[in-house]
Every structure is written in structure tokens, then in C-alpha cells.
């Protein structure tokens, strides 16, 4: 998962089925089917949690958006 911090675009080298982006209050900001490039430019600067899911496996990565 790179770059981190990011200006809005995240690139992911592994393959997953779905993604979920949460703010630090636990509010779901967006979700969708996985794509190797995710565009988070619509969200304000801040720290987010990116949950990537593949079947029963799940990882959570902190993402810092700053411009």
C-alpha cells in the first residue's frame, strides 16, 4: 500500500475483493469492489483506516491523506 501519506491516490500491489475506508470515529466513508488504484481525493486531510478484505482474511492499514 503506497504512498502513505498520500495526496489521495493509493496503490495496492496485492489482490483483495473489497475495500472499506473509515474515519477515526468509525464512520464508514466509502466502500467498494477492489481496484489496484483507489482514489480518495474527495476526502479531507486526516487519518483513515483502510480495511481490505479477501474472503475470510482482512487487513487494516492506517492511511494519512495530506495535501
Amino acid at each position: 500500500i503506497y504512498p502513505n501519506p498520500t495526496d489521495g491516490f493509493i496503490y495496492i500491489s496485492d489482490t483483495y475483493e473489497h475495500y472499506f475506508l473509515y474515519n477515526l470515529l468509525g464512520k464508514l466513508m466509502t466502500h467498494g469492489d477492489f481496484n489496484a488504484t483507489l482514489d480518495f481525493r474527495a476526502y479531507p486531510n486526516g487519518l483513515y483506516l483502510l480495511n481490505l478484505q479477501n474472503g475470510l482474511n482482512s487487513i487494516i492499514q492506517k492511511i494519512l491523506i495530506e495535501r
Side-chain angles (χ1 to χ4, degrees), residues 9-22:
F9 284 103
I10 294 288
Y11 304 96
I12 302 170
S13 58
D14 293 330
T15 301
Y16 296 91
E17 294 175 5
H18 307 285
Y19 73 91
F20 302 86
L21 184 71
Y22 298 92

Side-chain angles (χ1 to χ4, degrees), residues 17-53:
E17 294 175 5
H18 307 285
Y19 73 91
F20 302 86
L21 184 71
Y22 298 92
N23 68 14
L24 289 184
L25 298 175
K27 178 181 177 187
L28 179 62
M29 304 300 290
T30 188
H31 63 89
D33 293 332
F34 178 76
N35 188 331
T37 303
L38 301 176
D39 182 1
F40 298 141
R41 291 178 296 168
Y43 302 100
N45 290 350
L47 191 59
Y48 296 86
L49 299 175
L50 178 62
N51 182 341
L52 300 170
Q53 295 184 353

